[in-house]
Amino acid sequence: MVLLQNLLLGSVKKSTRSHLRGKFLDSLRLAVKGGHGGNGLPKYGGVGGQGGAVYFVAKEGKTLKDVVQKYRAKKIFAGNGEESSKNRILGRRGLDEQVQVPVGIRVLEDGGSLIAELDEEGKTCLAAGGGSGGCAGNSFLGKTGQTRTLKLDLKLIADVGLVGFPNAGKSTLVKALSNASPKIASYPFTTIRPQIGTIDYEDYRQITIADLPGLIEGAHANFGMGHKFLKHVERTRLLLIIVDVFGFQLSQSHRKRNCLENIYALNKELELYDKTLLEKPCVLLVNKMDKEGAVEEICKYDKYFGNLEDGIQHCPEELIPKQLVSFDRIIPISAKCITEIDKVKHAIREVLDARAEERLHNEARDSANLEGLRGKLREKGPKVG
């Protein structure tokens, strides 16, 4: 009877706890170890095999969850080198362990120093080298492989990063623009993990957009989602800042801020985290224009959107940034209106293309200047008479 109960209980597979099943992983700590080198054979001068190495390889479609599922103990070992023997004087190398990781991974030492950025498909990083095989130079004793504790830090790669306070309509906008299916509700913090969507155009052009968790004041100092959000903005090529035309109030203990104040607050959070983010092209969307009173509300502040310097007098001192963002486009929208969504799609494409052309023009100019300088140096070079 006891045996039957054990068999029945053993056949029931434990289900993953619901609060862990949907968790988005964007960082992972791993212990990696290269293989031990095989011992040599003094009698015949045999050389032991080199220990295998651990590599990280960037692969599209992979997630950090996949890594955890394959290496549940979060420890990764390469194979040991073969020992030399009279049948095989040169020992075979140990098997390498190739770990497939998502594109966008940064590999960091335990102390925080950067080892590699795997931001393209197929990019490879040596995580732990194998030990050398035993030979005459090391008393025929194989060496231990490299042991390290590394952190894999994921920064999403998307063309467009959507920035806004909670409940500004980010998820509704991403769903309308792309093929993503984010959770949508009328309460703050609906989005608790990043969503990547793809905007499709009639000529088959595709632009990726990231819907990221809503910022709160203090995000630069890691309050709320903090750095888990802001680090994903770093690799985007365009910032899409969205504000609710009626403003935002985080809770009853916080003062409600109007849409202009929210722009300054978002500006400051980005600046305090990394001021180079403000150099990216930026489009401002003023959302929820379909609601009653929206036109009257936007008329109070729209004259300042194009030149934020003029509106600083209406901004609380604690929200004033040192460097002001400049908007390439300003578009009042309702994220539920198809016509206005099309305007946003075209604006995103136009701004990205304009910046790409500008970059190519600057690169061509710099290349021409460099070639001209080289020509002058050749002319001034020593002449053999």
Side-chain angles (χ1 to χ4, degrees), residues 155 161 163 212 215 219-220 226-227 229-241 266-283 323-328 355:
K155 290 184 179 179
V163 180
L212 301 156
L215 281 179
H220 69 278
H227 295 172
F229 161 81
L230 287 165
K231 70 178 183 180
H232 293 302
V233 181
E234 292 180 42
R235 282 192 170 133
T236 57
R237 296 193 294 134
L238 181 147
L239 297 182
L240 199 59
I241 291 182
L266 290 167
N267 188 156
K268 188 165 186 178
E269 290 302 325
L270 293 171
E271 176 191 61
L272 290 173
Y273 177 74
D274 181 358
K275 62 183 180 182
T276 62
L277 294 176
L278 301 178
E279 297 169 8
K280 294 179 182 288
C282 190
V283 173
Q323 182 179 339
L324 292 169
V325 68
S326 177
F327 298 118
D328 293 72
R355 287 301 180 104

Coordinates of all heavy atoms in Angstrom, one line a residue, residues 155 161 163 212 215 219-220 226-227 229-241 266-283 323-328 355:
K155 N 20.2 43.8 -21.4 CA 19.6 45.1 -21.8 C 18.9 44.9 -23.1 O 19.5 44.5 -24.1 CB 20.7 46.2 -22.0 CG 21.4 46.6 -20.7 CD 22.4 47.7 -21.0 CE 23.0 48.2 -19.7 NZ 24.0 49.3 -20.0
G161 N 12.2 53.1 -27.4 CA 11.9 52.8 -26.0 C 10.8 53.8 -25.5 O 10.8 55.0 -25.7
V163 N 8.7 55.7 -22.8 CA 9.0 56.2 -21.5 C 7.8 57.0 -21.0 O 7.3 57.8 -21.7 CB 10.3 57.2 -21.5 CG1 10.6 57.7 -20.1 CG2 11.5 56.4 -22.1
L212 N 8.0 49.4 -21.5 CA 8.7 49.2 -20.3 C 8.0 49.6 -19.0 O 7.1 50.5 -19.2 CB 10.1 49.9 -20.3 CG 10.9 49.4 -21.5 CD1 11.9 50.5 -21.9 CD2 11.7 48.1 -21.2
L215 N 7.9 54.6 -14.9 CA 8.8 55.2 -14.0 C 8.1 55.8 -12.8 O 6.9 56.2 -12.9 CB 9.6 56.3 -14.7 CG 10.7 56.0 -15.6 CD1 11.3 57.3 -16.2 CD2 11.8 55.2 -14.9
A219 N 13.5 57.0 -9.8 CA 13.9 55.8 -10.5 C 15.4 55.8 -10.8 O 16.0 54.8 -10.8 CB 13.2 55.8 -11.8
H220 N 16.0 57.0 -11.0 CA 17.5 57.1 -11.2 C 18.3 56.5 -10.0 O 19.4 56.0 -10.2 CB 17.9 58.5 -11.5 CG 17.8 59.4 -10.2 ND1 16.6 60.0 -9.8 CD2 18.7 59.8 -9.3 CE1 16.8 60.7 -8.7 NE2 18.1 60.5 -8.4
G226 N 13.2 51.3 -11.1 CA 14.5 51.9 -11.2 C 15.4 51.5 -12.3 O 15.0 51.6 -13.5
H227 N 16.5 51.0 -11.9 CA 17.5 50.6 -12.9 C 17.1 49.4 -13.8 O 17.6 49.3 -14.9 CB 18.9 50.2 -12.2 CG 19.5 51.4 -11.5 ND1 20.6 51.3 -10.7 CD2 19.1 52.7 -11.5 CE1 20.9 52.5 -10.2 NE2 20.0 53.4 -10.7
F229 N 14.4 49.2 -15.2 CA 13.7 49.9 -16.3 C 14.7 50.7 -17.2 O 14.9 50.4 -18.4 CB 12.6 50.8 -15.9 CG 12.2 51.8 -16.9 CD1 11.4 51.5 -17.9 CD2 12.7 53.1 -16.9 CE1 11.1 52.4 -18.9 CE2 12.4 54.0 -17.9 CZ 11.6 53.7 -18.9
L230 N 15.5 51.5 -16.5 CA 16.3 52.5 -17.2 C 17.4 51.9 -18.0 O 17.8 52.4 -19.1 CB 16.8 53.5 -16.2 CG 15.8 54.5 -15.7 CD1 16.3 55.3 -14.5 CD2 15.4 55.6 -16.7
K231 N 17.9 50.8 -17.6 CA 19.0 50.2 -18.4 C 18.5 49.7 -19.7 O 19.3 49.6 -20.7 CB 19.6 49.0 -17.6 CG 18.7 47.8 -17.5 CD 19.5 46.6 -16.7 CE 18.6 45.4 -16.7 NZ 19.3 44.3 -16.0
H232 N 17.2 49.4 -19.9 CA 16.7 48.9 -21.2 C 16.6 50.1 -22.1 O 16.4 49.9 -23.3 CB 15.4 48.2 -21.0 CG 15.5 46.9 -20.2 ND1 16.3 45.9 -20.6 CD2 14.9 46.5 -19.1 CE1 16.2 44.9 -19.8 NE2 15.4 45.2 -18.8
V233 N 16.6 51.3 -21.6 CA 16.5 52.5 -22.5 C 17.8 52.8 -23.2 O 17.8 53.3 -24.3 CB 16.0 53.7 -21.7 CG1 15.9 54.9 -22.6 CG2 14.7 53.5 -21.0
E234 N 18.9 52.3 -22.7 CA 20.2 52.7 -23.2 C 20.5 52.3 -24.6 O 21.2 52.9 -25.3 CB 21.3 52.1 -22.2 CG 21.3 52.7 -20.8 CD 22.4 52.1 -20.0 OE1 23.5 51.9 -20.5 OE2 22.1 51.9 -18.8
R235 N 19.9 51.1 -25.0 CA 20.2 50.6 -26.3 C 19.2 51.0 -27.4 O 19.3 50.6 -28.5 CB 20.4 49.1 -26.2 CG 21.7 48.6 -25.7 CD 21.9 47.1 -25.9 NE 23.3 46.8 -25.6 CZ 23.6 45.7 -24.8 NH1 22.7 44.9 -24.3 NH2 24.9 45.4 -24.6
T236 N 18.2 51.7 -27.0 CA 17.2 52.1 -28.0 C 17.7 53.3 -28.8 O 18.6 54.0 -28.4 CB 15.9 52.6 -27.3 OG1 16.1 53.6 -26.4 CG2 15.2 51.4 -26.6
R237 N 17.2 53.5 -30.0 CA 17.7 54.5 -30.9 C 16.8 55.8 -30.8 O 17.1 56.8 -31.3 CB 17.7 54.0 -32.3 CG 18.8 52.9 -32.5 CD 19.1 52.6 -34.0 NE 17.9 52.1 -34.7 CZ 17.5 52.5 -35.9 NH1 18.1 53.6 -36.4 NH2 16.4 52.0 -36.4
L238 N 15.6 55.6 -30.3 CA 14.6 56.7 -30.2 C 13.8 56.6 -28.9 O 13.4 55.5 -28.5 CB 13.7 56.7 -31.4 CG 12.7 57.9 -31.5 CD1 12.4 58.2 -33.0 CD2 11.3 57.4 -30.9
L239 N 13.6 57.7 -28.2 CA 12.8 57.7 -27.0 C 11.4 58.3 -27.4 O 11.3 59.3 -28.0 CB 13.4 58.6 -25.9 CG 14.7 58.2 -25.4 CD1 15.2 59.2 -24.3 CD2 14.7 56.8 -24.9
L240 N 10.4 57.5 -27.0 CA 9.0 57.9 -27.2 C 8.4 58.2 -25.8 O 8.1 57.4 -25.0 CB 8.2 56.8 -27.9 CG 6.9 57.1 -28.6 CD1 7.1 58.1 -29.7 CD2 6.3 55.8 -29.1
I241 N 8.4 59.5 -25.5 CA 7.9 60.0 -24.2 C 6.4 60.2 -24.3 O 5.9 60.9 -25.1 CB 8.6 61.2 -23.7 CG1 10.1 60.9 -23.4 CG2 8.0 61.8 -22.5 CD1 10.9 62.1 -22.9
L266 N 10.1 63.4 -16.0 CA 10.7 62.4 -16.8 C 12.1 62.8 -17.3 O 13.0 62.0 -17.4 CB 9.8 62.0 -18.0 CG 8.5 61.3 -17.6 CD1 7.5 61.3 -18.8 CD2 8.8 59.9 -17.1
N267 N 12.2 64.0 -17.8 CA 13.4 64.6 -18.3 C 14.5 64.4 -17.2 O 15.6 64.0 -17.5 CB 13.2 66.0 -18.6 CG 14.4 66.7 -19.3 OD1 14.2 67.7 -20.1 ND2 15.6 66.2 -19.1
K268 N 14.2 64.8 -16.0 CA 15.2 64.8 -14.9 C 15.6 63.4 -14.5 O 16.7 63.1 -14.2 CB 14.6 65.5 -13.7 CG 15.6 65.7 -12.6 CD 15.2 66.7 -11.5 CE 16.4 66.9 -10.5 NZ 16.0 68.0 -9.5
E269 N 14.6 62.4 -14.5 CA 15.0 61.0 -14.2 C 15.9 60.5 -15.2 O 16.9 59.8 -14.8 CB 13.7 60.2 -14.1 CG 12.8 60.5 -12.9 CD 13.5 60.3 -11.6 OE1 14.4 59.4 -11.5 OE2 13.2 61.1 -10.7
L270 N 15.7 60.7 -16.5 CA 16.6 60.3 -17.5 C 18.0 60.9 -17.4 O 19.0 60.3 -17.5 CB 16.0 60.6 -18.9 CG 14.8 59.8 -19.3 CD1 14.2 60.4 -20.6 CD2 15.0 58.3 -19.5
E271 N 18.0 62.2 -17.1 CA 19.3 62.9 -16.9 C 20.1 62.4 -15.8 O 21.3 62.2 -15.9 CB 19.0 64.4 -16.7 CG 20.2 65.3 -16.5 CD 19.8 66.7 -16.0 OE1 19.2 66.8 -15.0 OE2 20.2 67.6 -16.7
L272 N 19.4 62.2 -14.6 CA 20.1 61.7 -13.4 C 20.7 60.3 -13.6 O 21.7 60.0 -13.0 CB 19.2 61.8 -12.2 CG 18.9 63.3 -11.8 CD1 17.9 63.2 -10.6 CD2 20.2 64.0 -11.3
Y273 N 20.0 59.5 -14.4 CA 20.5 58.1 -14.6 C 21.6 58.1 -15.6 O 22.7 57.5 -15.4 CB 19.3 57.3 -15.2 CG 19.8 55.8 -15.5 CD1 20.0 54.9 -14.5 CD2 20.0 55.4 -16.8 CE1 20.5 53.6 -14.8 CE2 20.4 54.2 -17.1 CZ 20.6 53.3 -16.1 OH 21.0 52.0 -16.4
D274 N 21.5 58.8 -16.7 CA 22.5 58.9 -17.7 C 22.2 60.0 -18.7 O 21.3 59.9 -19.5 CB 22.6 57.6 -18.5 CG 23.7 57.6 -19.6 OD1 24.4 58.6 -19.7 OD2 23.9 56.5 -20.2
K275 N 22.9 61.1 -18.6 CA 22.5 62.3 -19.4 C 22.7 62.1 -20.9 O 22.1 62.9 -21.7 CB 23.3 63.5 -18.9 CG 24.8 63.4 -19.0 CD 25.5 64.7 -18.5 CE 27.0 64.6 -18.6 NZ 27.7 65.7 -18.0
T276 N 23.5 61.1 -21.3 CA 23.6 60.9 -22.7 C 22.3 60.4 -23.3 O 22.1 60.4 -24.6 CB 24.7 59.8 -23.0 OG1 24.4 58.6 -22.4 CG2 26.1 60.3 -22.5
L277 N 21.4 59.9 -22.5 CA 20.0 59.5 -23.0 C 19.3 60.7 -23.7 O 18.5 60.5 -24.6 CB 19.2 58.9 -21.9 CG 19.7 57.6 -21.3 CD1 18.8 57.1 -20.1 CD2 19.7 56.5 -22.3
L278 N 19.6 61.9 -23.1 CA 18.9 63.0 -23.7 C 19.4 63.4 -25.0 O 18.8 64.3 -25.7 CB 19.1 64.2 -22.7 CG 18.5 64.0 -21.3 CD1 18.8 65.2 -20.4 CD2 17.0 63.6 -21.3
E279 N 20.5 62.8 -25.5 CA 21.0 63.1 -26.8 C 20.3 62.3 -27.9 O 20.5 62.5 -29.1 CB 22.5 62.8 -26.9 CG 23.3 63.7 -25.9 CD 24.7 63.3 -25.8 OE1 25.2 62.4 -26.5 OE2 25.4 63.8 -24.9
K280 N 19.5 61.3 -27.5 CA 18.8 60.5 -28.5 C 17.6 61.3 -29.1 O 17.1 62.2 -28.4 CB 18.2 59.2 -27.8 CG 19.2 58.2 -27.2 CD 18.5 57.1 -26.6 CE 19.5 56.1 -26.0 NZ 20.2 55.3 -27.0
P281 N 17.2 61.0 -30.3 CA 16.0 61.6 -30.8 C 14.8 61.3 -30.0 O 14.8 60.2 -29.4 CB 15.9 61.0 -32.2 CG 16.7 59.8 -32.2 CD 17.8 60.0 -31.2
C282 N 13.9 62.2 -29.9 CA 12.8 62.0 -28.9 C 11.5 62.6 -29.5 O 11.5 63.6 -30.2 CB 13.1 62.8 -27.7 SG 12.0 62.5 -26.3
V283 N 10.4 61.8 -29.3 CA 9.1 62.2 -29.8 C 8.2 62.3 -28.5 O 8.2 61.4 -27.7 CB 8.5 61.2 -30.8 CG1 7.1 61.5 -31.1 CG2 9.4 61.2 -32.1
Q323 N 19.8 69.7 -18.0 CA 19.8 69.6 -19.4 C 18.4 69.3 -19.9 O 17.8 68.3 -19.5 CB 20.8 68.6 -19.9 CG 20.9 68.4 -21.4 CD 21.9 67.3 -21.8 OE1 22.8 67.0 -21.0 NE2 21.7 66.8 -23.0
L324 N 17.8 70.1 -20.8 CA 16.5 69.9 -21.3 C 16.4 69.1 -22.5 O 17.3 69.2 -23.4 CB 15.8 71.3 -21.5 CG 15.5 72.1 -20.3 CD1 15.1 73.5 -20.7 CD2 14.5 71.5 -19.4
V325 N 15.5 68.2 -22.6 CA 15.3 67.3 -23.8 C 14.7 68.2 -24.9 O 14.0 69.2 -24.7 CB 14.4 66.1 -23.4 CG1 12.9 66.6 -23.2 CG2 14.4 65.1 -24.5
S326 N 15.0 67.8 -26.1 CA 14.5 68.5 -27.3 C 13.7 67.5 -28.1 O 14.1 66.4 -28.4 CB 15.6 69.0 -28.2 OG 15.1 69.7 -29.3
F327 N 12.4 67.9 -28.4 CA 11.5 66.9 -29.1 C 11.6 67.1 -30.6 O 11.5 68.3 -31.1 CB 10.1 67.2 -28.6 CG 9.9 66.9 -27.2 CD1 9.5 67.9 -26.3 CD2 10.1 65.6 -26.7 CE1 9.3 67.6 -25.0 CE2 10.0 65.3 -25.3 CZ 9.6 66.3 -24.5
D328 N 11.8 66.0 -31.3 CA 11.7 66.1 -32.8 C 10.3 66.2 -33.3 O 10.1 66.7 -34.4 CB 12.4 64.8 -33.4 CG 13.9 64.7 -33.1 OD1 14.2 64.5 -31.9 OD2 14.7 64.9 -34.0
R355 N 17.6 60.7 -38.6 CA 18.8 60.6 -37.8 C 19.9 59.7 -38.4 O 21.1 59.9 -38.4 CB 18.5 60.1 -36.4 CG 17.8 61.2 -35.5 CD 18.7 62.4 -35.3 NE 18.1 63.4 -34.5 CZ 18.4 63.6 -33.2 NH1 19.3 62.9 -32.6 NH2 17.8 64.6 -32.5

